[in-house]
mmCIF file of all heavy atoms in Angstrom:
data_model
loop_
_atom_site.group_PDB
_atom_site.id
_atom_site.type_symbol
_atom_site.label_atom_id
_atom_site.label_comp_id
_atom_site.label_asym_id
_atom_site.label_seq_id
_atom_site.Cartn_x
_atom_site.Cartn_y
_atom_site.Cartn_z
ATOM 1 N N CYS A 250 7.678 -16.826 -1.331
ATOM 2 C CA CYS A 250 8.912 -16.647 -2.090
ATOM 3 C C CYS A 250 9.533 -18.019 -2.322
ATOM 4 O O CYS A 250 9.690 -18.798 -1.382
ATOM 5 C CB CYS A 250 9.907 -15.762 -1.337
ATOM 6 S SG CYS A 250 9.359 -14.073 -1.095
ATOM 7 N N GLU A 251 9.862 -18.297 -3.571
ATOM 8 C CA GLU A 251 10.544 -19.547 -3.864
ATOM 9 C C GLU A 251 11.898 -19.575 -3.178
ATOM 10 O O GLU A 251 12.457 -18.533 -2.824
ATOM 11 C CB GLU A 251 10.700 -19.715 -5.373
ATOM 12 C CG GLU A 251 9.383 -19.946 -6.085
ATOM 13 C CD GLU A 251 9.539 -20.111 -7.583
ATOM 14 O OE1 GLU A 251 10.474 -19.507 -8.142
ATOM 15 O OE2 GLU A 251 8.738 -20.835 -8.180
ATOM 16 N N LYS A 252 12.424 -20.766 -2.986
ATOM 17 C CA LYS A 252 13.676 -20.922 -2.243
ATOM 18 C C LYS A 252 14.789 -20.049 -2.791
ATOM 19 O O LYS A 252 15.627 -19.546 -2.054
ATOM 20 C CB LYS A 252 14.114 -22.385 -2.272
ATOM 21 C CG LYS A 252 13.230 -23.338 -1.471
ATOM 22 C CD LYS A 252 13.270 -23.037 0.012
ATOM 23 C CE LYS A 252 12.452 -24.047 0.810
ATOM 24 N NZ LYS A 252 12.401 -23.704 2.247
ATOM 25 N N SER A 253 14.823 -19.866 -4.091
ATOM 26 C CA SER A 253 15.867 -19.059 -4.710
ATOM 27 C C SER A 253 15.718 -17.576 -4.381
ATOM 28 O O SER A 253 16.662 -16.797 -4.509
ATOM 29 C CB SER A 253 15.837 -19.228 -6.229
ATOM 30 O OG SER A 253 14.622 -18.716 -6.760
ATOM 31 N N GLY A 254 14.517 -17.196 -3.944
ATOM 32 C CA GLY A 254 14.243 -15.795 -3.663
ATOM 33 C C GLY A 254 13.990 -14.967 -4.902
ATOM 34 O O GLY A 254 13.771 -13.755 -4.833
ATOM 35 N N ALA A 255 14.017 -15.619 -6.069
ATOM 36 C CA ALA A 255 13.873 -14.892 -7.331
ATOM 37 C C ALA A 255 12.429 -14.494 -7.609
ATOM 38 O O ALA A 255 12.172 -13.583 -8.382
ATOM 39 C CB ALA A 255 14.405 -15.740 -8.484
ATOM 40 N N LYS A 256 11.482 -15.176 -6.981
ATOM 41 C CA LYS A 256 10.082 -14.929 -7.273
ATOM 42 C C LYS A 256 9.279 -14.882 -5.984
ATOM 43 O O LYS A 256 9.238 -15.854 -5.239
ATOM 44 C CB LYS A 256 9.533 -16.015 -8.202
ATOM 45 C CG LYS A 256 8.078 -15.824 -8.592
ATOM 46 C CD LYS A 256 7.605 -16.983 -9.476
ATOM 47 C CE LYS A 256 6.145 -16.826 -9.880
ATOM 48 N NZ LYS A 256 5.675 -17.977 -10.685
ATOM 49 N N CYS A 257 8.668 -13.742 -5.719
ATOM 50 C CA CYS A 257 7.780 -13.583 -4.570
ATOM 51 C C CYS A 257 6.433 -13.096 -5.083
ATOM 52 O O CYS A 257 6.379 -12.132 -5.859
ATOM 53 C CB CYS A 257 8.345 -12.588 -3.561
ATOM 54 S SG CYS A 257 9.844 -13.134 -2.718
ATOM 55 N N ASN A 258 5.362 -13.751 -4.650
ATOM 56 C CA ASN A 258 4.043 -13.386 -5.151
ATOM 57 C C ASN A 258 2.986 -13.900 -4.184
ATOM 58 O O ASN A 258 3.271 -14.702 -3.290
ATOM 59 C CB ASN A 258 3.824 -13.998 -6.543
ATOM 60 C CG ASN A 258 2.858 -13.174 -7.390
ATOM 61 O OD1 ASN A 258 2.069 -12.392 -6.868
ATOM 62 N ND2 ASN A 258 2.913 -13.365 -8.700
ATOM 63 N N ALA A 259 1.756 -13.433 -4.374
ATOM 64 C CA ALA A 259 0.635 -13.976 -3.614
ATOM 65 C C ALA A 259 0.498 -15.461 -3.921
ATOM 66 O O ALA A 259 0.741 -15.898 -5.047
ATOM 67 C CB ALA A 259 -0.645 -13.239 -3.977
ATOM 68 N N ALA A 260 0.119 -16.218 -2.933
ATOM 69 C CA ALA A 260 0.035 -17.669 -3.095
ATOM 70 C C ALA A 260 -1.135 -18.090 -3.971
ATOM 71 O O ALA A 260 -1.085 -19.135 -4.615
ATOM 72 C CB ALA A 260 -0.067 -18.341 -1.728
ATOM 73 N N THR A 261 -2.195 -17.272 -4.027
ATOM 74 C CA THR A 261 -3.373 -17.639 -4.799
ATOM 75 C C THR A 261 -3.528 -16.734 -6.018
ATOM 76 O O THR A 261 -3.213 -15.541 -5.973
ATOM 77 C CB THR A 261 -4.660 -17.544 -3.957
ATOM 78 O OG1 THR A 261 -4.951 -16.161 -3.691
ATOM 79 C CG2 THR A 261 -4.514 -18.282 -2.633
ATOM 80 N N TYR A 262 -4.034 -17.307 -7.095
ATOM 81 C CA TYR A 262 -4.264 -16.547 -8.320
ATOM 82 C C TYR A 262 -5.388 -15.543 -8.139
ATOM 83 O O TYR A 262 -5.387 -14.480 -8.758
ATOM 84 C CB TYR A 262 -4.576 -17.505 -9.473
ATOM 85 C CG TYR A 262 -3.341 -18.178 -10.032
ATOM 86 C CD1 TYR A 262 -2.744 -19.260 -9.386
ATOM 87 C CD2 TYR A 262 -2.742 -17.715 -11.201
ATOM 88 C CE1 TYR A 262 -1.608 -19.878 -9.883
ATOM 89 C CE2 TYR A 262 -1.597 -18.317 -11.718
ATOM 90 C CZ TYR A 262 -1.033 -19.398 -11.047
ATOM 91 O OH TYR A 262 0.101 -19.979 -11.539
ATOM 92 N N GLU A 263 -6.355 -15.874 -7.300
ATOM 93 C CA GLU A 263 -7.455 -14.939 -7.054
ATOM 94 C C GLU A 263 -6.936 -13.648 -6.436
ATOM 95 O O GLU A 263 -7.303 -12.545 -6.868
ATOM 96 C CB GLU A 263 -8.492 -15.578 -6.129
ATOM 97 C CG GLU A 263 -9.653 -14.651 -5.795
ATOM 98 C CD GLU A 263 -10.746 -15.328 -4.987
ATOM 99 O OE1 GLU A 263 -10.743 -16.573 -4.891
ATOM 100 O OE2 GLU A 263 -11.616 -14.603 -4.463
ATOM 101 N N GLU A 264 -6.055 -13.759 -5.449
ATOM 102 C CA GLU A 264 -5.516 -12.559 -4.810
ATOM 103 C C GLU A 264 -4.627 -11.773 -5.779
ATOM 104 O O GLU A 264 -4.615 -10.543 -5.759
ATOM 105 C CB GLU A 264 -4.756 -12.937 -3.544
ATOM 106 C CG GLU A 264 -5.696 -13.320 -2.404
ATOM 107 C CD GLU A 264 -4.982 -13.820 -1.172
ATOM 108 O OE1 GLU A 264 -4.079 -14.679 -1.310
ATOM 109 O OE2 GLU A 264 -5.323 -13.373 -0.062
ATOM 110 N N ARG A 265 -3.905 -12.468 -6.623
ATOM 111 C CA ARG A 265 -3.075 -11.772 -7.617
ATOM 112 C C ARG A 265 -3.943 -10.904 -8.529
ATOM 113 O O ARG A 265 -3.579 -9.778 -8.869
ATOM 114 C CB ARG A 265 -2.296 -12.778 -8.462
ATOM 115 C CG ARG A 265 -1.242 -13.542 -7.697
ATOM 116 C CD ARG A 265 -0.501 -14.505 -8.617
ATOM 117 N NE ARG A 265 0.103 -15.593 -7.864
ATOM 118 C CZ ARG A 265 0.776 -16.601 -8.411
ATOM 119 N NH1 ARG A 265 0.901 -16.649 -9.743
ATOM 120 N NH2 ARG A 265 1.296 -17.548 -7.660
ATOM 121 N N ALA A 266 -5.089 -11.439 -8.914
ATOM 122 C CA ALA A 266 -5.986 -10.689 -9.797
ATOM 123 C C ALA A 266 -6.546 -9.455 -9.100
ATOM 124 O O ALA A 266 -6.624 -8.366 -9.688
ATOM 125 C CB ALA A 266 -7.123 -11.587 -10.268
ATOM 126 N N HIS A 267 -6.918 -9.607 -7.837
ATOM 127 C CA HIS A 267 -7.514 -8.488 -7.105
ATOM 128 C C HIS A 267 -6.498 -7.380 -6.841
ATOM 129 O O HIS A 267 -6.809 -6.195 -7.005
ATOM 130 C CB HIS A 267 -8.119 -8.976 -5.797
ATOM 131 C CG HIS A 267 -9.460 -9.627 -5.952
ATOM 132 N ND1 HIS A 267 -10.612 -8.896 -6.173
ATOM 133 C CD2 HIS A 267 -9.832 -10.934 -5.948
ATOM 134 C CE1 HIS A 267 -11.648 -9.729 -6.289
ATOM 135 N NE2 HIS A 267 -11.196 -10.968 -6.152
ATOM 136 N N ILE A 268 -5.292 -7.740 -6.439
ATOM 137 C CA ILE A 268 -4.323 -6.697 -6.103
ATOM 138 C C ILE A 268 -3.779 -6.000 -7.350
ATOM 139 O O ILE A 268 -3.267 -4.881 -7.262
ATOM 140 C CB ILE A 268 -3.165 -7.257 -5.247
ATOM 141 C CG1 ILE A 268 -2.357 -8.312 -6.002
ATOM 142 C CG2 ILE A 268 -3.700 -7.815 -3.949
ATOM 143 C CD1 ILE A 268 -1.232 -8.930 -5.179
ATOM 144 N N ALA A 269 -3.925 -6.653 -8.513
ATOM 145 C CA ALA A 269 -3.514 -6.014 -9.768
ATOM 146 C C ALA A 269 -4.539 -4.992 -10.240
ATOM 147 O O ALA A 269 -4.281 -4.242 -11.185
ATOM 148 C CB ALA A 269 -3.303 -7.068 -10.849
ATOM 149 N N ASN A 270 -5.677 -4.951 -9.569
ATOM 150 C CA ASN A 270 -6.767 -4.076 -10.009
ATOM 151 C C ASN A 270 -7.112 -3.011 -8.965
ATOM 152 O O ASN A 270 -8.223 -2.503 -8.927
ATOM 153 C CB ASN A 270 -8.010 -4.914 -10.325
ATOM 154 C CG ASN A 270 -9.038 -4.159 -11.147
ATOM 155 O OD1 ASN A 270 -8.702 -3.446 -12.085
ATOM 156 N ND2 ASN A 270 -10.309 -4.296 -10.769
ATOM 157 N N LEU A 271 -6.139 -2.665 -8.121
ATOM 158 C CA LEU A 271 -6.363 -1.623 -7.127
ATOM 159 C C LEU A 271 -6.118 -0.240 -7.735
ATOM 160 O O LEU A 271 -5.407 -0.101 -8.730
ATOM 161 C CB LEU A 271 -5.434 -1.835 -5.930
ATOM 162 C CG LEU A 271 -5.680 -3.108 -5.116
ATOM 163 C CD1 LEU A 271 -4.615 -3.257 -4.030
ATOM 164 C CD2 LEU A 271 -7.075 -3.109 -4.486
ATOM 165 N N ALA A 272 -6.690 0.778 -7.117
ATOM 166 C CA ALA A 272 -6.573 2.147 -7.630
ATOM 167 C C ALA A 272 -5.132 2.643 -7.531
ATOM 168 O O ALA A 272 -4.503 2.547 -6.473
ATOM 169 C CB ALA A 272 -7.498 3.079 -6.858
ATOM 170 N N GLU A 273 -4.621 3.165 -8.637
ATOM 171 C CA GLU A 273 -3.278 3.747 -8.696
ATOM 172 C C GLU A 273 -3.332 5.217 -9.105
ATOM 173 O O GLU A 273 -2.297 5.889 -9.164
ATOM 174 C CB GLU A 273 -2.421 3.000 -9.712
ATOM 175 C CG GLU A 273 -2.192 1.542 -9.385
ATOM 176 C CD GLU A 273 -1.419 0.816 -10.468
ATOM 177 O OE1 GLU A 273 -1.690 1.071 -11.666
ATOM 178 O OE2 GLU A 273 -0.529 0.026 -10.128
ATOM 179 N N GLY A 274 -4.513 5.695 -9.373
ATOM 180 C CA GLY A 274 -4.655 7.083 -9.820
ATOM 181 C C GLY A 274 -6.109 7.460 -9.907
ATOM 182 O O GLY A 274 -6.992 6.810 -9.351
ATOM 183 N N GLY A 275 -6.353 8.542 -10.640
ATOM 184 C CA GLY A 275 -7.717 9.029 -10.778
ATOM 185 C C GLY A 275 -7.723 10.323 -11.568
ATOM 186 O O GLY A 275 -6.860 10.557 -12.413
ATOM 187 N N THR A 276 -8.690 11.175 -11.280
ATOM 188 C CA THR A 276 -8.829 12.449 -11.977
ATOM 189 C C THR A 276 -8.972 13.585 -10.972
ATOM 190 O O THR A 276 -9.303 13.365 -9.796
ATOM 191 C CB THR A 276 -10.045 12.442 -12.919
ATOM 192 O OG1 THR A 276 -11.231 12.159 -12.149
ATOM 193 C CG2 THR A 276 -9.893 11.390 -14.001
ATOM 194 N N LEU A 277 -8.711 14.792 -11.450
ATOM 195 C CA LEU A 277 -8.854 15.989 -10.624
ATOM 196 C C LEU A 277 -10.100 16.754 -11.033
ATOM 197 O O LEU A 277 -10.374 16.922 -12.221
ATOM 198 C CB LEU A 277 -7.636 16.901 -10.791
ATOM 199 C CG LEU A 277 -6.272 16.319 -10.432
ATOM 200 C CD1 LEU A 277 -5.184 17.348 -10.696
ATOM 201 C CD2 LEU A 277 -6.231 15.858 -8.982
ATOM 202 N N ARG A 278 -10.846 17.211 -10.047
ATOM 203 C CA ARG A 278 -11.959 18.138 -10.294
ATOM 204 C C ARG A 278 -11.463 19.544 -9.980
ATOM 205 O O ARG A 278 -10.873 19.769 -8.910
ATOM 206 C CB ARG A 278 -13.160 17.801 -9.416
ATOM 207 C CG ARG A 278 -13.902 16.546 -9.827
ATOM 208 C CD ARG A 278 -15.061 16.301 -8.894
ATOM 209 N NE ARG A 278 -15.777 15.078 -9.202
ATOM 210 C CZ ARG A 278 -16.444 14.357 -8.307
ATOM 211 N NH1 ARG A 278 -16.480 14.746 -7.044
ATOM 212 N NH2 ARG A 278 -17.069 13.254 -8.663
ATOM 213 N N VAL A 279 -11.698 20.461 -10.868
ATOM 214 C CA VAL A 279 -11.281 21.852 -10.675
ATOM 215 C C VAL A 279 -12.528 22.726 -10.571
ATOM 216 O O VAL A 279 -13.396 22.686 -11.449
ATOM 217 C CB VAL A 279 -10.382 22.331 -11.837
ATOM 218 C CG1 VAL A 279 -9.957 23.780 -11.610
ATOM 219 C CG2 VAL A 279 -9.159 21.433 -11.971
ATOM 220 N N TYR A 280 -12.603 23.510 -9.486
ATOM 221 C CA TYR A 280 -13.761 24.370 -9.242
ATOM 222 C C TYR A 280 -13.325 25.834 -9.270
ATOM 223 O O TYR A 280 -12.401 26.226 -8.546
ATOM 224 C CB TYR A 280 -14.388 24.076 -7.875
ATOM 225 C CG TYR A 280 -14.934 22.677 -7.715
ATOM 226 C CD1 TYR A 280 -14.107 21.633 -7.296
ATOM 227 C CD2 TYR A 280 -16.274 22.402 -7.962
ATOM 228 C CE1 TYR A 280 -14.605 20.349 -7.132
ATOM 229 C CE2 TYR A 280 -16.785 21.128 -7.797
ATOM 230 C CZ TYR A 280 -15.948 20.095 -7.385
ATOM 231 O OH TYR A 280 -16.442 18.837 -7.228
ATOM 232 N N ARG A 281 -13.970 26.616 -10.105
ATOM 233 C CA ARG A 281 -13.732 28.056 -10.092
ATOM 234 C C ARG A 281 -14.310 28.646 -8.805
ATOM 235 O O ARG A 281 -15.274 28.130 -8.239
ATOM 236 C CB ARG A 281 -14.388 28.711 -11.310
ATOM 237 C CG ARG A 281 -13.655 28.429 -12.614
ATOM 238 C CD ARG A 281 -12.551 29.446 -12.858
ATOM 239 N NE ARG A 281 -11.708 29.055 -13.977
ATOM 240 C CZ ARG A 281 -11.987 29.307 -15.254
ATOM 241 N NH1 ARG A 281 -13.104 29.925 -15.565
ATOM 242 N NH2 ARG A 281 -11.134 28.950 -16.194
ATOM 243 N N LYS A 282 -13.722 29.729 -8.379
ATOM 244 C CA LYS A 282 -14.129 30.367 -7.134
ATOM 245 C C LYS A 282 -15.623 30.704 -7.154
ATOM 246 O O LYS A 282 -16.127 31.305 -8.098
ATOM 247 C CB LYS A 282 -13.317 31.643 -6.928
ATOM 248 C CG LYS A 282 -13.467 32.251 -5.543
ATOM 249 C CD LYS A 282 -12.503 33.407 -5.355
ATOM 250 C CE LYS A 282 -12.610 33.971 -3.947
ATOM 251 N NZ LYS A 282 -11.633 35.083 -3.727
ATOM 252 N N GLY A 283 -16.324 30.243 -6.123
ATOM 253 C CA GLY A 283 -17.744 30.525 -5.998
ATOM 254 C C GLY A 283 -18.655 29.600 -6.775
ATOM 255 O O GLY A 283 -19.879 29.766 -6.729
ATOM 256 N N GLU A 284 -18.108 28.638 -7.500
ATOM 257 C CA GLU A 284 -18.920 27.723 -8.293
ATOM 258 C C GLU A 284 -18.922 26.324 -7.669
ATOM 259 O O GLU A 284 -17.926 25.881 -7.101
ATOM 260 C CB GLU A 284 -18.403 27.659 -9.735
ATOM 261 C CG GLU A 284 -18.513 28.984 -10.471
ATOM 262 C CD GLU A 284 -18.097 28.870 -11.934
ATOM 263 O OE1 GLU A 284 -17.852 27.729 -12.387
ATOM 264 O OE2 GLU A 284 -18.017 29.910 -12.609
ATOM 265 N N SER A 285 -20.056 25.634 -7.789
ATOM 266 C CA SER A 285 -20.196 24.299 -7.203
ATOM 267 C C SER A 285 -20.009 23.183 -8.221
ATOM 268 O O SER A 285 -19.873 22.020 -7.852
ATOM 269 C CB SER A 285 -21.573 24.156 -6.551
ATOM 270 O OG SER A 285 -22.607 24.355 -7.516
ATOM 271 N N LYS A 286 -20.002 23.552 -9.496
ATOM 272 C CA LYS A 286 -19.849 22.554 -10.552
ATOM 273 C C LYS A 286 -18.420 22.572 -11.081
ATOM 274 O O LYS A 286 -17.873 23.644 -11.382
ATOM 275 C CB LYS A 286 -20.825 22.834 -11.693
ATOM 276 C CG LYS A 286 -20.844 21.764 -12.776
ATOM 277 C CD LYS A 286 -21.877 22.083 -13.846
ATOM 278 C CE LYS A 286 -21.886 21.026 -14.940
ATOM 279 N NZ LYS A 286 -22.872 21.330 -16.003
ATOM 280 N N PRO A 287 -17.770 21.400 -11.213
ATOM 281 C CA PRO A 287 -16.386 21.383 -11.699
ATOM 282 C C PRO A 287 -16.290 21.774 -13.165
ATOM 283 O O PRO A 287 -17.251 21.636 -13.928
ATOM 284 C CB PRO A 287 -15.955 19.932 -11.480
ATOM 285 C CG PRO A 287 -17.214 19.141 -11.499
ATOM 286 C CD PRO A 287 -18.255 20.043 -10.886
ATOM 287 N N LEU A 288 -15.127 22.261 -13.553
ATOM 288 C CA LEU A 288 -14.887 22.661 -14.938
ATOM 289 C C LEU A 288 -14.941 21.464 -15.869
ATOM 290 O O LEU A 288 -14.555 20.342 -15.501
ATOM 291 C CB LEU A 288 -13.522 23.336 -15.062
ATOM 292 C CG LEU A 288 -13.357 24.686 -14.356
ATOM 293 C CD1 LEU A 288 -11.931 25.205 -14.558
ATOM 294 C CD2 LEU A 288 -14.361 25.705 -14.896
ATOM 295 N N GLU A 289 -15.416 21.686 -17.074
ATOM 296 C CA GLU A 289 -15.456 20.666 -18.114
ATOM 297 C C GLU A 289 -14.886 21.263 -19.391
ATOM 298 O O GLU A 289 -14.513 22.434 -19.440
ATOM 299 C CB GLU A 289 -16.897 20.181 -18.330
ATOM 300 C CG GLU A 289 -17.519 19.531 -17.108
ATOM 301 C CD GLU A 289 -18.971 19.153 -17.334
ATOM 302 O OE1 GLU A 289 -19.585 19.676 -18.303
ATOM 303 O OE2 GLU A 289 -19.508 18.356 -16.553
#
Side-chain angles (χ1 to χ4, degrees):
C250 295
E251 291 180 329
K252 291 295 184 184
S253 65
K256 181 182 180 182
C257 293
N258 208 339
T261 70
Y262 282 79
E263 178 174 347
E264 286 175 313
R265 293 181 203 178
H267 281 284
I268 63 182
N270 196 42
L271 295 175
E273 298 176 319
T276 58
L277 301 178
R278 287 180 183 152
V279 180
Y280 298 87
R281 287 273 170 84
K282 191 173 183 178
E284 296 185 7
S285 59
K286 186 178 179 181
L288 293 179
E289 298 176 343

